[in-house]
Amino acid sequence: MKLELHKQLETRMENTIEALKVEFTTIRAGRANAQMLDKVRVDYYGTLTPVNQIGAISVPEPRTLLISPWDKTALADIEKAIRTADLGLNPTNDGEVIRISVPMLTEERRKELAKRASKVSEEFKVRVRNDRRDSNDKLKKMEKDGEITEDELKKSQDEVQKITDKYIKNIETLLANKEKDIMEV
C-alpha cells in the first residue's frame, strides 16, 4: 500500500515536470520554435482555436516562423491573434502565409523572460509540494486507521520527502537551463 502511494506520488510529480517542460517551451529564448505559438488562440468562425490547428507552422530559418493556414481566409485572424498575444512578435501577411521574424532579445527583455521562467518554476514547485502534502495526509490517515504503524509512517514520510526533494531539484535544474538559454546572446 505504501509503495503504491510512493509510485503514485512519483507519477504525479513526473507529470508536473513534463508540464513544466512544455510551459518552458512557450517562453522564447531568441530562437524561433513552433511551440512559441502554443498559447495563441485564433477567433476562427467564432471559436477560439489554437493556431497550430488552423495551419502548418514551420521554422525555415533560426529566427523565422512561417505559418501556412489551410484556409487562407483565416490569415488576418491569425495575424491579429499573434499581435494581441503579448509575445513581442510582429507578423507579416503576404496573402499566402504569415512570416514572423523573431527579433533579437534586448537585455531588458531577457531579464523579463528569465523572471517569468522563475515565476513559472515556483508555481510548479508549489504543485510538487501540494502533492507531498496530499501523500503525507494519506499516510497519516493510514496510520490512524491502523493500516500502518507509527514507524512505517515515519519511514514513508521520509521517503515522500526524498521524492519531493528530487523533483524540486529537477525543477531548479530545468529553470537554470532555461535561464541560461534565455540569457545567451
Side-chain angles (χ1 to χ4, degrees):
M1 183 70 173
K2 302 177 311 222
L3 295 174
E4 184 62 32
L5 185 110
H6 293 147
K7 285 179 189 170
Q8 289 171 358
L9 177 64
E10 289 249 13
T11 301
R12 285 197 313 269
M13 289 185 179
E14 196 58 49
N15 291 340
T16 299
I17 295 296
E18 289 308 310
L20 176 63
K21 288 176 183 175
V22 169
E23 188 69 27
F24 275 170
T25 62
T26 65
I27 300 175
R28 74 186 187 95
R31 289 180 299 281
N33 74 33
Q35 289 81 20
M36 292 168 59
L37 302 176
D38 279 357
K39 291 190 173 183
V40 176
R41 300 288 184 260
V42 180
D43 186 0
Y44 186 64
Y45 293 106
T47 305
L48 287 179
T49 309
V51 75
N52 61 4
Q53 292 181 13
I54 295 176
I57 302 172
S58 59
V59 184
E61 298 166 26
R63 295 203 175 277
T64 306
L65 283 171
L66 193 66
I67 304 170
S68 305
W70 294 298
D71 177 1
K72 302 292 183 219
T73 62
L75 277 166
D77 293 330
I78 294 170
E79 186 180 7
K80 180 181 173 196
I82 293 167
R83 285 188 198 283
T84 59
D86 190 36
L87 295 173
L89 300 174
N90 192 15
T92 55
N93 175 352
D94 69 5
E96 289 291 315
V97 295
I98 292 178
R99 287 184 202 287
I100 303 170
S101 182
V102 179
M104 291 287 290
L105 294 172
T106 63
E107 188 66 24
E108 183 181 321
R109 183 71 175 147
R110 287 177 195 281
K111 288 178 182 173
E112 205 176 285
L113 290 171
K115 197 180 290 186
R116 181 166 159 226
S118 180
K119 183 177 178 234
V120 166
S121 75
E122 208 43 58
E123 291 169 10
F124 280 83
K125 284 181 188 177
V126 168
R127 285 189 195 181
V128 166
R129 290 181 189 120
N130 286 341
D131 288 341
R132 173 188 62 192
R133 185 197 60 226
D134 294 346
S135 292
N136 281 335
D137 289 348
K138 285 178 186 172
L139 287 168
K140 287 175 188 168
K141 185 181 182 320
M142 289 168 68
E143 193 245 351
K144 184 180 165 210
D145 294 346
E147 295 176 44
I148 60 174
T149 66
E150 195 174 325
D151 287 345
E152 290 173 320
L153 169 67
K154 180 72 177 126
K155 284 179 190 168
S156 287
Q157 285 178 326
D158 288 346
E159 182 62 26
V160 165
Q161 187 58 50
K162 282 181 193 168
I163 294 168
T164 303
D165 291 344
K166 176 177 118 181
Y167 284 95
I168 293 287
K169 186 172 177 10
N170 200 335
I171 289 171
E172 288 169 353
T173 302
L174 288 171
L175 174 62
N177 291 341
K178 186 62 181 182
E179 285 176 335
K180 181 177 170 248
D181 197 25
I182 290 169
M183 298 312 274
E184 265 178 11
V185 177

